[in-house]
Amino acid sequence: GVGAITEQTVFADIREHLSIENKKKYVFIRADTPISEAEKLFHKSFKKGERIVMMLLTKDGYANQKLMGIVTPWDILGE
């Protein structure tokens, strides 16, 4: 099974446990990205016919950094 996500967890540690196809379904963003910017990214991808299902938050927005959080469209756009 999946172990606990800790302060040392990076995306590579959890990637194999996610059912995400190789399409552009997730993006990395800086942990201090304003919510308004994250919302714009969700809307922009939707208008392009793409669908971001999650934004992975790291210190500087890079995949090799510690995972600080996950944001989904439901977190920002509501129910």
Side-chain angles (χ1 to χ4, degrees):
V2 178
I5 295 177
T6 68
E7 292 180 8
Q8 302 306 313
T9 302
V10 294
F11 182 63
D13 297 332
I14 63 169
R15 171 184 258 152
E16 67 185 77
H17 302 288
L18 300 174
S19 60
I20 299 175
E21 300 170 14
N22 287 333
K23 296 177 184 175
K24 190 76 171 180
K25 303 245 182 184
Y26 59 87
V27 294
F28 288 88
I29 62 172
R30 293 175 54 105
D32 62 356
T33 299
I35 292 172
S36 60
E37 285 299 311
E39 185 176 4
K40 286 178 189 176
L41 287 170
F42 280 126
H43 282 296
K44 186 177 175 182
S45 72
F46 183 75
K47 286 181 181 179
K48 291 165 78 177
E50 300 169 355
R51 190 170 170 177
I52 297 173
V53 297
M54 72 175 81
M55 294 181 178
L56 301 148
L57 285 68
T58 62
K59 181 181 178 202
D60 297 311
Y62 297 114
N64 64 340
Q65 294 179 316
K66 295 175 188 171
L67 187 60
M68 299 175 75
I70 297 173
V71 177
T72 70
W74 301 273
D75 296 325
I76 293 179
L77 305 176
E79 306 155 12

